[in-house]
Amino acid sequence: AGTITGVTTATGSGLQGGGTTGTLGLSLANTFTSYGADPTGTTDSAAAINAAIASGNALDCEGTFIVNSGLAGGEDTRISSTNGCFITAHASMATPTLAIGGSAGSFKAIGLLRGVTINANSLAPVGLALGGAGGSFNFHVVDSNIYGATAQGVTIGNNSWVVNFDHDKIYANGTHGVEFLGTSNSGENISFTNGTDVFNNGGDGLKIDNSVSSGNSFFCTNASFDGNASWQVQNGTSNIGGLQQFTGNGCHIEAPDHWLQNFGVMTLGGTVATNGSNSGGIGYLIDNEGTAFNVFGGSFLGGGSGTLNNASGAKGNWDSATSSMTINNANIIIDKANGNLTSTGNINAASE
């Protein structure tokens, strides 16, 4: 314990610290408003915000801002808010509300969007677009909300890897909540963590296109995909290559139908899937067409008139999972609680 002296409070910025630097390490001069943006949401702030982003400084965003055209920055764009930053599309635009990585950044700083709400307001096709010529390497979206796009809430394009969604909400977008579109140098270590929820979108919750020849890796850890109109998670779009990888640890899936579709490698550990009341809609809740589908523990609590797995799909492996429905179309089912082992294939024991 000790005594801290010389700490001052900076007014009008929501930051505390000594001198002109707050707890987020942002200079109080580097705010949207210091570049001329209107925090009352009365006049168009697109030009001012783009100028702020182009400065290359870490930015503090506090207030409500309307934009009549899209915002864009490099992969080192850093925007944070303490008291709330609301960016709303206010005119029809053909570009995303905010695009990151279309131009080259420093490739040194960690990109950040923290505490920002992006409302595409049914006027922009995409809420947040990551990737492009500059890419989105090591970009973090934290405590943010993205909604209202006519198409995808978030797109992930070329040159994008090590992207983390942390405690975000991505919802009420016209098609997919998040769609991976990258065709080159993209898709490695994309994660959804810490209570991120992708829900109530008009298409898939997470749609992973399989256009990267080297494959990709997506992770869901303590995050949710709920109530999306199509698949909650679609891992790949066709059985070509089988290199798409989705791993769910403590992932939550909740929808009346269309739980999971896999065209690559899907591994679920401690995942919980619930509702499933409309399994009869397409006849099943899980469609495995991929290279591997492995389940370790977790609960799959469905219902309705359909089956758990697509009987015409590829067989999966189920180890110690709890299910309210019969686990059908499986290579192997291990029920450790009751000491049962069911296999439709061959089990060979190695000798000493």
Side-chain angles (χ1 to χ4, degrees):
T3 301
I4 300 176
T5 60
V7 178
T8 60
T9 299
T11 60
S13 68
L15 299 178
Q16 287 187 328
T20 59
T21 301
T23 56
L24 295 176
L26 307 178
S27 167
L28 301 183
N30 296 323
T31 66
F32 279 8
T33 54
S34 67
Y35 286 84
D38 173 13
T40 69
T42 303
T43 59
D44 176 26
S45 292
I49 295 174
N50 276 325
I53 293 173
S55 73
N57 293 314
L59 299 166
D60 178 37
C61 168
E62 309 293 340
T64 298
F65 304 88
I66 61 172
V67 294
N68 291 340
S69 55
L71 307 175
E75 66 184 355
D76 55 354
T77 297
R78 290 155 289 162
I79 303 171
S80 293
S81 177
T82 302
N83 299 317
C85 172
F86 303 88
I87 300 173
T88 301
H90 197 248
S92 180
M93 58 187 73
T95 58
T97 311
L98 174 60
I100 299 294
S103 59
S106 69
F107 203 68
K108 296 179 181 179
I110 295 175
L112 177 66
L113 197 68
R114 182 192 297 276
V116 177
T117 293
I118 297 176
N119 177 9
N121 205 22
S122 298
L123 293 170
V126 178
L128 173 64
L130 300 173
S136 297
F137 165 72
N138 206 0
F139 197 90
H140 298 255
V141 183
V142 185
D143 293 330
S144 295
N145 304 304
I146 302 167
Y147 66 97
T150 58
Q152 307 99 323
V154 178
T155 58
I156 303 173
N158 291 342
N159 304 307
S160 299
W161 69 99
V162 192
V163 175
N164 182 38
F165 296 90
D166 181 348
H167 201 247
D168 302 310
K169 293 182 176 62
I170 303 169
Y171 63 98
N173 295 289
T175 58
H176 313 302
V178 179
E179 183 171 9
F180 173 70
L181 301 168
T183 58
S184 65
N185 196 31
S186 192
E188 175 189 342
N189 200 358
I190 312 295
S191 60
F192 300 83
T193 63
N194 194 26
T196 289
D197 196 358
V198 183
F199 63 100
N200 293 355
N201 294 286
D204 297 333
L206 170 61
K207 182 181 180 67
I208 305 171
D209 293 350
N210 58 330
S211 51
V212 178
S213 59
S214 59
N216 50 55
S217 53
F218 284 71
F219 300 89
C220 169
T221 305
N222 301 328
S224 302
F225 296 91
D226 302 327
N228 299 290
S230 190
W231 297 105
Q232 306 316 297
V233 177
Q234 185 185 39
N235 185 34
T237 54
S238 62
N239 200 359
I240 300 175
L243 296 174
Q244 310 80 31
Q245 298 191 49
F246 176 85
T247 302
N249 291 308
C251 195
H252 183 88
I253 304 293
E254 185 171 349
D257 49 50
H258 287 83
W259 279 358
L260 301 164
Q261 187 175 50
N262 175 49
F263 283 98
V265 176
M266 183 173 284
T267 304
L268 306 175
T271 289
V272 175
T274 65
N275 194 329
S277 58
N278 190 38
S279 61
I282 59 173
Y284 47 84
L285 296 170
I286 298 172
D287 180 27
N288 175 37
E289 307 289 344
T291 304
F293 184 86
N294 300 304
V295 179
F296 302 93
S299 299
F300 297 80
L301 308 176
S305 60
T307 60
L308 179 61
N309 295 303
N310 179 6
S312 300
K315 297 180 185 297
N317 302 304
W318 294 72
D319 184 348
S320 306
T322 298
S323 177
S324 61
M325 305 171 72
T326 299
I327 300 176
N328 64 307
N329 197 30
N331 283 317
I332 186 170
I333 303 172
I334 300 174
D335 182 356
K336 293 179 181 176
N338 297 305
N340 296 324
L341 172 63
T342 304
S343 174
T344 58
N346 298 319
I347 299 178
N348 299 315
S351 58
E352 293 291 338

